[in-house]
Amino acid sequence: MFGAYSTARGMAISRLVIRFFWCGLSSVFVLYVYVRLLQERNKNTSDSLYFRIYVLVLGVYAGLRVLFALLLKFPACHRLSEMSDQSFFQFFKWIYEERYFVGRGLVEKTTDYMSYVFFWLVIFACKFPFAYFLQIKPLVEPTKIIINLPRLQYSWHDFVSKNNNNMLTVASLWAPVVAIYIMDIHIWYTLLSAIYGAVMGARGRLGEIRSIEMVHKRFESFPEAFVKNLVSPQIKRMPFERESSQSPHDNNKTYAAIFSPFWNEIIKALREEDYISNREMDLLSMPSNTGSLKLVQWPLFLLSSKILLAIDLASDCKDTQADLWNRICKDEYMAYAVQECYSSIEKILHSLVDGEGRLWVERIFREINSSISEGSLVITLHLKKLQVVLSRFTALTGLLIRDPTPELAKGAAKAVYDFYDVVTHELLSSDLREQLDTWQILLRARNEGRLFSRIEWPKDPDIKEQVKRLHLLLTVKDNAVNIPKNLEARRRLQFFTNSLFMDMPSAKPVCEMMPFCVFTPYYSETVLYSNSELRLENEDGISTLFYLQKIFPDEWENFRERIGEGDSGYAEIQENSTSALELRFWASYRGQTLARTVRGMMYYRKALMLQSHLERRSLEEDVSSRTSFTTQGFELSREARAQADIKFTYVVSCQIYGQQKQRKAPEAADIALLLQRNEALRVAFIHVEESGAADGNVTKEFYSKLVKADANGKDQEIFSIRLPGDPKLGEGKPENQNHAIVFTRGEAVQTIDMNQDNYLEEAMKMRNLLEEFRANHGLRPPTILGVREHVFTGSVSSLAWFMSNQETSFVTLGQRVLACPLKVRMHYGHPDVFDRIFHITRGGISKSSRVINISEDIYAGFNSTLRQGNITHHEYIQVGKGRDVGLNQIALFEGKVAGGNGEQVLSRDVYRLGQLFDFFRMLSFFFTTVGFYVCTMMTVLTVYVFLYGRAYLAFSGLDQGISQKADVLGNTALDTVLNAQFLVQIGVFTAVPMVMGFILELGLLQAVFSFITMQLQLCSVFFTFSLGTRTHYFGRTILHGGAKYRATGRGFVVHHIKFAENYRLYSRSHFVKALEVALLLIVYMAYGYSEGGAVTFVLLTISSWFLVFSWLFAPYIFNPSGFEWQKTVEDFDDWTNWLMYKGGVGVKGDNSWESWWEEEQAHIQTLRGRILETILSFRFIMFQYGIVYKLHLTGRDTSIAVYGFSWVVLAGLVMIFKIFTFSPKKSTNFQLVLRFMQGITCIGLIVALCLVVFFTDLSIPDLFASFLAFIPTGWFILSLAIAWRGIVRSLGLWDSVKEFARMYDAGMGILIFSPIAVLSWFPFVSTFQSRLLFNQAFSRGLEISLILAGNKANVAASSF
């Protein structure tokens, strides 16, 4: 309560004193009454005065609590309590709840309140029966039996268990149950939120279109849905509103005319991004539907091969015309294709010929139409000849789509005549053929050679479009299922078309929409890959460009087609400066670069220009002609550009752009290039001016500047604000945002991170999203609009896939539940849209205090909620997001987030929210923020509590003694606890929301397949490893504080990570803890008693062994080429060099073990931290104390002298170690003496060991047991020395401690490295690992094996 206490010290002290006396007096009174009641328990209590007083007091107390809860927490009553100004009432209200200005009125609408109350009541209804019947009740009787057992014989010297009814035994049994009881509410929350979130998603119509086949089936409904949701009323004022007599068919034609320009721009954007080829763009594009053709013309990918199938049906037809048409109409797009083909042929022929030729065309189609109306088409035409007829017409269209020449004109005339000939003499019935042959007008023209001797080459754009479209319709034989081929293009089209049917506000005209700004912080990340970076090869001979070519082969081919270098290689592309620049952008758009983010965000401007252009055309022109729906030239329209610039601005806060320009860094040139290519882009940066004073001192002046590119491509300063000093006082990223927030414009600001992307089709929905600020979302209007994210890095590797799925489930299903019904969604990242006016007048969007605000994002949500904001979540629009793709990147990211949550525990924001939320909303808030990490830590602590409890029973001998007297140790409660812990540990409950998301958006079968695939790729190992990462960094922050930003890097990670690098990163967070758990398991296996034998032991400890395996070997399982022999040998040499390098001043931890070891202890700074570390380290004493009494040497002796003698032995071993590791630099004057002492010591040690074994009961197993006993004790001594290193340094023992620690790290490294070395002997292990890591890539036909082998190897192989 530091924040409240420091701001209102007197009131806070008064409140505490009053509450203390009130609670104390009432407790004493109730206790007195209760004691008197117990004294009269033998009497008839119904007549007891104390019983009546007791019931009355409890009733009054409960009534007062309920009354205050209603007045202060129940929304309907809260408003009444706020309005009351009576001092008596306000006094009791103040006693009950602290009075805050920030955080007042944290209530929701009554219906929302009841929703999240019901949500938590369901959780409690599940938790409490489960906990009682499966955890608590089964332990009650065994506990009573253990308490009532007579004194048991202990195997060691017992200090604390005399005459206390075996309390430590009871505690060891109940401790894991209590631990699970505390955290299993999070399990139930996860399950219920997954189910509720899936139901809400289904109600929101998510996942209705989950495949490209569904896009095909429902395409006919897209235009109407698009017009309804995404088109403003200005464009909706169409002929169907002016002419009410229009038919539904005409309405569909109008909808298609409005929809087609938007759809075509989306397809064009996909082509510009190289997701589709030119041919696919032609097939996906939709005709303008503004021509004279009355039919709705659909994209060719829906109609491809439909004509050919219809001809086959017609050729095989032996029934009536009606039966044939019914068979065709079973495929609605086949019917559309037939109708369009027939109408288009008629229209094209009319435009090509005149005179007698036009008369023939009119006569033919008149006869055919008459036959269709009479139902006699199968009699009038020989349908088997349709194939020949269409082949002749296809030859004609093949000529007409080319530019006209005299030779082509003659060829086209001949093609028309051939078409006439085959229609007249082969297609038509004999009667009709005779009529045409004897038709005098036609006969005379044919005899004179005038018939079809000259044709009119298509010039009308409408006719030219129809000719091209009809030619594709007749020639494309591809299956529509394969169009588009690119998976990303499919995903985007699926989501966009699905979102058209979701609930969203209607779009306002661009001139009336809410102006907004996009805001991105940038520091020194990659802006644009340079040519040298693309060519630079790593140790395996892999360049970035080579990697991208293999990962995105179809996009690489599309890129070469787009720039006109279809068969060119890298060298040929580099010869053309324009193509070379395009190559740099192509590669950058596939990484997590600023160029990709800028391109995506500038789609907002393009979408607004398109929408504004069409709105303006619809007002200026005659909409009944439908010519207003062309997008030609919209990007050059001055009006559209001006309107878009009024409504949209993009500010990138490049904090050190000024410094980069001064030192001519390549990043500055790349940012300048982005400014030149994007005229709406603005860059804010800190400018520093130095000036010298007369006294020789240099003064610095700081300016916050905003620039854009002028007409010459140079930086043009727009604003310059002088700052009072250096603005970077706190954390870098939030300070970067704070200095530039003043340059944003509009009523809303969307915060976008540097690794995000956007899409044109999603940008078209921004107007709808901004209208959410004016929609009804509860008691208060929204202040932050949450936006769905799509993680686009999931296809790189299995790890990236795991991370992508985990992140996607949180940013979709998880945030859906947080927003509704729980009402505790905060700000978790950078796609959210802020109410700019609300936030800049209430503290801004970024808190930047050092350390405590390391996770700056979520504090914006805290601040908004505390100041009566409302945060919502919307899933009809999405933004791309890049995530970490390597295990080390993921671990650093999770460490940063976990440390940030540890700092949040200390923040006043969390304190105020916890104090002022009602109980149920507080639960929601706790378990979705810091409580998640608390429960994660409890999951790991459960393992420790269980194993240390079992170790206590094994060392003391009580497990065997109790089991012999009463079979109570193997019970249902313990099994239930361990099973629940194991399921949490391996990520089963983490995966539940993920699986529900799969089912919702991919379908049940695909969800099952994906989940099984993830398990086969060892996702449980990954989740268990991540559990350790979060636990370590959260626990360290809680103990010592000092969370810090950890740069993860955003590159492509498929290169091999050296063993030493993995050891440095995971030694203290995973390896040490895993070996401790392994030691506990070995002790339990060696000395524990289990009536069921090995089977019971395995069942009880399988989850713990799995945790040990995951924590020790996950970094190497998920390390590319981790089991390749050559790299294993190189890793061992690198690790030994690092381990033995002494280091020195300025040497980094990456190069020296000593420097790294010093850095690892830097977090222990405070006295509190040293004391806590000391207390925690005392657990290692238990091993030596328990094992020495289990040795054959000690027999049944349980005296304390045995334990004391073990310390004497340990001291002797330490002295021997010191003799053998004495520094050569310090022994230069007595080298001979030192070597003599080492020899004598070695011989004496061997002789003494042999004598002890021979003359005493010391056995070989005792030697191994002693080794197990002394290892933890040595680590205990080492931990104490590190915690109190100041004292140890003053005693001159620090160098010895350092060598002692080096020995431990060497031993741990060898223990971990040995299995890796053995597995590296077998080549198939490396092959299996590559398949495991890159299964997603293999399923898409990618050449990961070539990537891992290296480009050089490929080149060498191809030369043979």
Side-chain angles (χ1 to χ4, degrees):
M1 63 174 295
F2 181 77
Y5 186 80
S6 62
T7 54
R9 181 181 300 268
M11 295 293 289
I13 293 177
S14 302
R15 180 174 176 273
L16 287 175
V17 171
I18 295 173
R19 284 174 63 91
F20 175 78
F21 279 106
W22 164 252
C23 295
L25 291 175
S26 58
S27 298
V28 170
F29 178 72
V30 171
L31 181 63
Y32 171 76
V33 175
Y34 183 70
V35 170
R36 293 302 300 267
L37 180 63
L38 289 178
Q39 293 174 353
E40 299 180 355
R41 63 182 181 272
N42 295 327
K43 301 180 181 179
N44 187 1
T45 55
S46 59
D47 297 330
S48 172
L49 175 64
Y50 289 106
F51 177 77
R52 295 177 181 176
I53 295 175
Y54 184 70
V55 172
L56 178 63
V57 169
L58 290 183
V60 171
Y61 175 77
L64 289 175
R65 295 291 295 185
V66 170
L67 176 63
F68 279 113
L70 287 174
L71 291 177
L72 298 179
K73 301 299 182 184
F74 198 77
C77 300
H78 179 83
R79 287 187 288 273
L80 296 176
S81 65
E82 286 290 324
M83 291 185 293
S84 176
D85 57 355
Q86 294 185 5
S87 57
F88 178 79
F89 180 81
Q90 288 294 331
F91 172 77
F92 280 100
K93 180 182 174 183
W94 170 66
I95 292 295
Y96 183 83
E97 179 182 89
E98 290 186 64
R99 186 179 301 164
Y100 293 104
F101 177 76
V102 176
R104 67 196 188 282
L106 287 182
V107 293
E108 294 295 333
K109 195 167 58 174
T110 303
T111 53
D112 294 333
Y113 175 79
M114 297 304 295
S115 297
Y116 62 73
V117 167
F118 178 75
F119 181 92
W120 279 103
L121 289 178
V122 172
I123 291 178
F124 291 147
C126 296
K127 170 189 166 55
F128 291 133
F130 175 86
Y132 177 73
F133 289 106
L134 291 178
Q135 296 179 17
I136 298 174
K137 186 177 180 181
L139 269 184
V140 173
E141 286 302 320
T143 301
K144 293 180 179 178
I145 294 174
I146 293 173
I147 291 175
N148 295 325
L149 282 176
R151 177 171 173 78
L152 299 172
Q153 183 66 36
Y154 285 82
S155 299
W156 60 14
H157 186 81
D158 183 58
F159 286 103
V160 296
S161 298
K162 296 178 181 179
N163 303 320
N164 63 0
N165 297 322
N166 304 309
M167 282 296 104
L168 283 181
T169 305
V170 173
S172 66
L173 290 178
W174 277 92
V177 177
V178 172
I180 287 293
Y181 180 83
I182 292 173
M183 59 82 60
D184 68 350
I185 191 170
H186 185 261
I187 297 176
W188 292 109
Y189 166 78
T190 303
L191 294 175
L192 184 59
S193 65
I195 296 172
Y196 187 88
V199 172
M200 292 299 294
R203 286 187 60 192
R205 308 189 70 172
L206 276 170
E208 287 189 358
I209 299 177
R210 61 175 72 103
S211 66
I212 201 68
E213 292 84 359
M214 292 184 176
V215 174
H216 297 161
K217 291 178 182 179
R218 299 189 59 177
F219 199 93
E220 189 178 8
S221 60
F222 295 163
E224 183 177 359
F226 182 89
V227 171
K228 176 184 175 183
N229 287 322
L230 268 65
V231 174
S232 68
Q234 287 188 1
I235 300 183
K236 287 182 183 179
R237 289 197 288 267
M238 305 301 295
F240 62 84
E241 290 192 3
R242 301 181 182 183
E243 303 171 17
S244 59
S245 62
Q246 275 198 309
S247 64
H249 173 78
D250 292 333
N251 284 344
N252 292 337
K253 180 73 172 177
T254 304
Y255 290 144
I258 301 174
F259 174 66
S260 61
F262 294 97
W263 174 262
N264 290 339
E265 287 300 321
I266 293 170
I267 300 304
K268 188 187 298 183
L270 290 174
R271 179 63 194 96
E272 291 171 353
E273 297 171 22
D274 298 316
Y275 290 121
I276 60 176
S277 63
N278 291 338
R279 189 166 183 273
E280 287 179 318
M281 181 176 69
D282 292 337
L283 296 177
L284 288 166
S285 297
M286 188 172 181
S288 62
N289 282 284
T290 57
S292 57
L293 197 64
K294 295 183 179 180
L295 296 170
V296 176
Q297 294 177 284
W298 301 107
L300 284 172
F301 80 105
L302 300 173
L303 311 180
S304 62
S305 73
K306 301 297 184 183
I307 292 295
L308 303 179
L309 294 175
I311 290 175
D312 291 339
L313 289 176
S315 300
D316 298 336
C317 178
K318 298 179 181 179
D319 300 321
T320 63
Q321 172 188 317
D323 294 331
L324 173 61
W325 185 244
N326 287 336
R327 284 200 295 273
I328 291 175
C329 288
K330 288 182 179 179
D331 185 341
E332 57 185 2
Y333 291 115
M334 186 184 294
Y336 287 137
V338 170
Q339 291 174 329
E340 181 180 343
C341 182
Y342 178 75
S343 301
S344 297
I345 290 175
E346 180 181 11
K347 187 174 180 61
I348 291 171
L349 288 175
H350 267 286
S351 69
L352 292 178
V353 298
D354 55 6
E356 293 85 353
R358 179 168 293 184
L359 292 176
W360 176 81
V361 171
E362 292 173 352
R363 174 78 178 271
I364 287 294
F365 280 95
R366 187 167 59 249
E367 293 292 343
I368 294 175
N369 291 335
S370 177
S371 298
I372 292 174
S373 62
E374 295 173 1
S376 59
L377 184 66
V378 295
I379 300 173
T380 304
L381 303 179
H382 296 297
L383 298 182
K384 293 183 181 297
K385 300 296 183 180
L386 280 176
Q387 183 66 49
V388 180
V389 173
L390 288 182
S391 66
R392 297 291 189 274
F393 197 82
T394 303
L396 173 62
T397 57
L399 297 173
L400 295 177
I401 60 175
R402 299 161 66 181
D403 294 331
T405 63
E407 291 78 10
L408 287 179
K410 292 179 181 179
K414 186 179 182 304
V416 174
Y417 190 86
D418 291 342
F419 177 76
Y420 152 77
D421 186 61
V422 74
V423 169
T424 304
H425 298 101
E426 295 187 33
L427 181 65
L428 300 179
S429 64
S430 57
D431 294 340
L432 188 56
R433 182 171 61 247
E434 290 178 4
Q435 293 178 22
L436 292 174
D437 285 341
T438 57
W439 190 13
Q440 290 300 320
I441 298 175
L442 203 62
L443 181 61
R444 188 185 310 114
R446 186 171 65 246
N447 292 335
E448 294 175 358
R450 292 184 290 103
L451 184 62
F452 305 120
S453 61
R454 186 180 64 85
I455 67 168
E456 183 70 26
W457 202 271
K459 296 180 180 178
D460 183 12
D462 183 28
I463 298 298
K464 292 174 69 174
E465 180 185 352
Q466 287 192 30
V467 170
K468 180 180 178 181
R469 174 177 170 80
L470 184 58
H471 181 73
L472 290 173
L473 186 62
L474 296 176
T475 56
V476 173
K477 299 180 181 180
D478 293 352
N479 192 339
V481 176
N482 297 324
I483 301 173
K485 297 179 182 178
N486 186 273
L487 297 180
E488 176 65 9
R490 291 187 177 195
R491 183 200 63 79
R492 284 172 53 176
L493 292 179
Q494 289 164 20
F495 180 82
F496 172 69
T497 52
N498 194 145
S499 67
L500 297 178
F501 301 95
M502 296 181 178
D503 291 334
M504 64 180 78
S506 299
K508 293 278 188 181
V510 176
C511 60
E512 300 177 15
M513 68 173 286
M514 182 182 295
F516 72 103
C517 177
V518 177
F519 190 38
T520 298
Y522 166 84
Y523 187 68
S524 61
E525 298 88 345
T526 302
V527 179
L528 194 67
Y529 289 122
S530 65
N531 289 321
S532 59
E533 289 174 326
L534 294 179
R535 293 195 308 267
L536 183 64
E537 297 179 351
N538 63 8
E539 59 183 7
D540 297 320
I542 303 298
S543 67
T544 300
L545 182 61
F546 177 77
Y547 167 76
L548 292 174
Q549 290 172 357
K550 299 304 176 183
I551 292 294
F552 307 109
D554 54 339
E555 297 171 28
W556 171 248
E557 293 301 324
N558 294 338
F559 165 71
R560 293 202 297 177
E561 180 186 36
R562 176 168 60 85
I563 64 173
E565 303 282 353
D567 299 324
S568 302
Y570 176 76
E572 291 82 357
I573 293 176
Q574 287 299 311
E575 293 176 358
N576 187 325
S577 59
T578 303
S579 298
L581 181 60
E582 287 298 319
L583 176 62
R584 292 179 60 198
F585 275 102
W586 180 85
S588 302
Y589 290 156
R590 272 133 195 90
Q592 299 183 48
T593 61
L594 182 62
R596 179 174 190 163
T597 304
V598 170
R599 180 198 64 175
M601 297 308 118
M602 293 309 295
Y603 277 136
Y604 284 128
R605 184 171 185 264
K606 186 174 182 179
L608 291 176
M609 289 166 57
L610 174 63
Q611 292 163 339
S612 176
H613 177 74
L614 293 178
E615 288 171 0
R616 191 175 185 86
R617 291 287 297 273
S618 66
L619 291 175
E620 292 179 351
E621 299 185 14
D622 181 12
V623 294
S624 62
S625 66
R626 294 196 181 97
T627 59
S628 57
F629 305 125
T630 177
T631 62
Q632 186 175 3
F634 80 94
E635 291 181 284
L636 302 176
S637 170
R638 296 179 61 184
E639 294 82 359
R641 289 153 62 108
Q643 190 67 260
D645 289 338
I646 290 173
K647 297 298 181 180
F648 167 74
T649 308
Y650 186 25
V651 176
V652 179
S653 181
C654 304
Q655 191 174 31
I656 59 173
Y657 177 55
Q659 301 174 29
Q660 290 172 335
K661 286 199 300 181
Q662 289 177 356
R663 65 173 185 264
K664 297 182 179 180
E667 291 84 359
D670 294 337
I671 292 173
L673 179 61
L674 294 180
L675 284 169
Q676 296 166 23
R677 291 169 66 105
N678 303 278
E679 61 179 317
L681 178 63
R682 305 289 183 265
V683 169
F685 64 96
I686 300 296
H687 177 68
V688 182
E689 290 186 359
E690 296 183 353
S691 58
D695 56 359
N697 294 328
V698 177
T699 61
K700 292 183 178 181
E701 293 183 349
F702 295 86
Y703 294 86
S704 185
K705 296 196 173 188
L706 184 73
V707 297
K708 67 175 182 178
D710 61 15
N712 299 319
K714 304 295 183 180
D715 288 353
Q716 178 183 347
E717 186 176 298
I718 305 174
F719 297 111
S720 179
I721 301 174
R722 184 177 177 181
L723 304 175
D726 189 349
K728 190 177 179 181
L729 301 176
E731 293 293 338
K733 184 177 178 181
E735 292 288 22
N736 194 6
Q737 296 179 126
N738 287 337
H739 94 87
I741 189 70
V742 68
F743 298 129
T744 58
R745 295 191 293 112
E747 299 176 42
V749 57
Q750 183 178 30
T751 51
I752 292 292
D753 214 343
M754 212 287 304
N755 61 338
Q756 296 197 250
D757 195 6
N758 199 17
Y759 319 109
L760 178 61
E761 63 272 17
E762 301 305 313
M764 292 179 181
K765 294 178 276 190
M766 191 62 180
R767 294 187 299 177
N768 306 76
L769 180 66
L770 293 173
E771 288 304 306
E772 298 284 0
F773 282 116
R774 298 163 178 160
N776 182 14
H777 288 284
L779 200 60
R780 292 173 289 272
T783 52
I784 299 179
L785 304 178
V787 176
R788 175 190 175 106
E789 288 179 306
H790 164 70
V791 181
F792 55 73
T793 52
S795 60
V796 175
S797 66
S798 59
L799 277 180
W801 189 42
F802 300 157
M803 190 66 178
S804 170
N805 292 334
Q806 179 176 315
E807 192 71 15
T808 300
S809 69
F810 171 71
V811 299
T812 55
L813 186 145
Q815 295 191 20
R816 188 184 310 147
V817 176
L818 293 181
C820 179
L822 300 185
K823 305 296 287 186
V824 290
R825 187 192 186 277
M826 300 300 167
H827 173 54
Y828 303 99
H830 275 86
D832 292 354
V833 182
F834 288 75
D835 183 333
R836 179 173 172 271
I837 307 301
F838 179 91
H839 285 91
I840 63 174
T841 56
R842 290 166 176 82
I845 63 173
S846 297
K847 288 193 173 184
S848 56
S849 298
R850 284 197 179 275
V851 182
I852 198 166
N853 293 135
I854 188 70
S855 298
E856 85 288 345
D857 298 337
I858 199 167
Y859 284 94
F862 293 163
N863 188 53
S864 183
T865 303
L866 281 168
R867 298 175 187 274
Q868 299 189 17
N870 186 12
I871 305 175
T872 59
H873 183 66
H874 309 279
E875 296 193 88
Y876 53 79
I877 185 171
Q878 68 176 358
V879 175
K881 178 76 171 180
R883 278 298 180 198
D884 310 290
V885 297
L887 186 65
N888 291 8
Q889 290 180 329
I890 294 171
L892 289 171
F893 170 76
E894 291 189 333
K896 179 186 73 172
V897 175
N901 272 268
E903 293 292 345
Q904 289 171 32
V905 175
L906 307 176
S907 68
R908 62 182 178 185
D909 305 76
V910 170
Y911 172 76
R912 286 172 174 172
L913 288 169
Q915 286 286 308
L916 299 176
F917 275 153
D918 60 78
F919 175 73
F920 296 100
R921 199 174 176 197
M922 180 270 295
L923 285 176
S924 303
F925 172 70
F926 174 75
F927 284 104
T928 55
T929 50
V930 296
F932 170 77
Y933 288 89
V934 171
C935 293
T936 298
M937 188 167 61
M938 289 299 299
T939 303
V940 177
L941 289 179
T942 301
V943 177
Y944 281 86
V945 169
F946 165 72
L947 289 179
Y948 270 103
R950 286 287 161 163
Y952 165 76
L953 295 176
F955 286 144
S956 64
L958 294 180
D959 55 350
Q960 183 175 0
I962 294 175
S963 296
Q964 290 175 349
K965 294 179 180 295
D967 186 16
V968 297
L969 293 183
N971 55 74
T972 306
L974 208 54
D975 294 339
T976 303
V977 166
L978 295 176
N979 290 335
Q981 182 276 330
F982 182 47
L983 293 176
V984 174
Q985 170 190 309
I986 64 175
V988 168
F989 292 109
T990 306
V992 168
M994 192 187 308
V995 173
M996 295 302 294
F998 284 159
I999 294 174
L1000 177 64
E1001 301 193 27
L1002 301 178
L1004 179 60
L1005 291 178
Q1006 185 63 33
V1008 173
F1009 175 77
S1010 298
F1011 183 72
I1012 293 175
T1013 303
M1014 289 177 62
Q1015 296 301 322
L1016 294 176
Q1017 291 184 287
L1018 304 183
C1019 74
S1020 295
V1021 174
F1022 168 74
F1023 288 134
T1024 301
F1025 189 83
S1026 298
L1027 190 79
T1029 304
R1030 291 191 291 265
T1031 299
H1032 171 76
Y1033 287 103
F1034 181 75
R1036 174 183 283 191
T1037 306
I1038 292 296
L1039 289 175
H1040 304 287
K1044 60 182 180 180
Y1045 180 82
R1046 300 175 189 275
T1048 61
R1050 289 170 176 156
F1052 305 105
V1053 180
V1054 290
H1055 62 276
H1056 177 74
I1057 306 297
K1058 292 185 178 296
F1059 178 87
E1061 184 177 344
N1062 279 330
Y1063 187 86
R1064 287 192 293 269
L1065 185 58
Y1066 303 119
S1067 174
R1068 298 303 182 259
S1069 61
H1070 293 81
F1071 297 162
V1072 170
K1073 296 178 175 63
L1075 291 174
E1076 180 184 354
V1077 173
L1079 193 61
L1080 286 166
L1081 289 169
I1082 292 171
V1083 167
Y1084 177 40
M1085 178 175 61
Y1087 302 114
Y1089 175 81
S1090 179
E1091 188 175 350
V1095 176
T1096 302
F1097 171 79
V1098 170
L1099 293 177
L1100 285 176
T1101 60
I1102 185 171
S1103 64
S1104 303
W1105 281 115
F1106 186 83
L1107 181 141
V1108 171
F1109 171 80
S1110 300
W1111 285 6
L1112 287 179
F1113 299 108
Y1116 307 102
I1117 293 174
F1118 295 114
N1119 185 16
S1121 301
F1123 298 97
E1124 187 179 318
W1125 176 251
Q1126 184 59 38
K1127 284 189 168 54
T1128 301
V1129 174
E1130 295 172 357
D1131 285 357
F1132 185 75
D1133 292 339
D1134 175 74
W1135 179 68
T1136 52
N1137 291 334
W1138 169 78
L1139 185 68
M1140 303 310 297
Y1141 185 48
K1142 295 296 184 180
V1145 178
V1147 178
K1148 295 183 178 180
D1150 293 345
N1151 302 319
S1152 166
W1153 174 87
E1154 290 188 7
S1155 300
W1156 167 80
W1157 189 69
E1158 293 283 354
E1159 293 170 1
E1160 280 296 309
Q1161 326 308 332
H1163 62 279
I1164 306 177
Q1165 298 287 344
T1166 63
L1167 177 63
R1168 168 182 168 275
R1170 292 188 175 92
I1171 294 174
L1172 291 175
E1173 284 289 337
T1174 303
I1175 294 172
L1176 291 175
S1177 299
F1178 270 100
R1179 70 184 186 273
F1180 296 110
I1181 294 293
M1182 178 181 182
F1183 291 91
Q1184 181 180 340
Y1185 186 72
I1187 290 176
V1188 293
Y1189 290 102
K1190 293 289 186 178
L1191 300 178
H1192 295 95
L1193 178 65
T1194 59
R1196 295 183 176 275
D1197 188 358
T1198 60
S1199 65
I1200 192 64
V1202 173
Y1203 181 60
F1205 182 74
S1206 68
W1207 277 96
V1208 175
V1209 174
L1210 179 61
L1213 293 175
V1214 171
M1215 293 300 298
I1216 293 172
F1217 173 79
K1218 181 61 180 174
I1219 291 173
F1220 281 98
T1221 60
F1222 196 81
S1223 175
K1225 294 181 179 180
K1226 297 180 180 180
S1227 61
T1228 54
N1229 297 326
F1230 50 93
Q1231 276 283 347
L1232 186 61
V1233 176
L1234 177 64
R1235 294 172 67 181
F1236 177 76
M1237 290 178 60
Q1238 290 175 345
I1240 293 296
T1241 303
C1242 182
I1243 295 172
L1245 180 64
I1246 296 173
V1247 171
L1249 188 62
C1250 293
L1251 292 176
V1252 171
V1253 172
F1254 186 77
F1255 288 106
T1256 67
D1257 292 332
L1258 182 69
S1259 62
I1260 300 299
D1262 284 353
L1263 293 178
F1264 289 100
S1266 301
F1267 183 71
L1268 290 179
F1270 291 143
I1271 284 179
T1273 305
W1275 189 259
F1276 163 72
I1277 297 171
L1278 192 60
S1279 300
L1280 289 184
I1282 292 171
W1284 304 97
R1285 57 181 177 271
I1287 299 175
V1288 176
R1289 284 181 189 275
S1290 63
L1291 296 175
L1293 300 176
W1294 187 245
D1295 289 339
S1296 299
V1297 171
K1298 191 180 296 183
E1299 292 302 322
F1300 202 45
R1302 192 195 305 271
M1303 181 192 69
Y1304 266 87
D1305 278 315
M1308 284 192 294
I1310 292 296
L1311 195 63
I1312 298 168
F1313 191 84
S1314 298
I1316 298 172
V1318 172
L1319 291 175
S1320 299
W1321 290 344
F1322 305 100
F1324 69 86
V1325 175
S1326 181
T1327 304
F1328 173 76
Q1329 186 207 24
S1330 298
R1331 178 72 182 181
L1332 182 77
L1333 284 179
F1334 301 104
N1335 184 65
Q1336 295 300 308
F1338 270 106
S1339 66
R1340 293 167 52 189
L1342 303 181
E1343 301 174 38
I1344 293 298
S1345 59
L1346 298 180
I1347 294 177
L1348 296 179
N1351 193 13
K1352 294 178 179 177
N1354 297 323
V1355 174
S1358 63
S1359 63
F1360 289 98

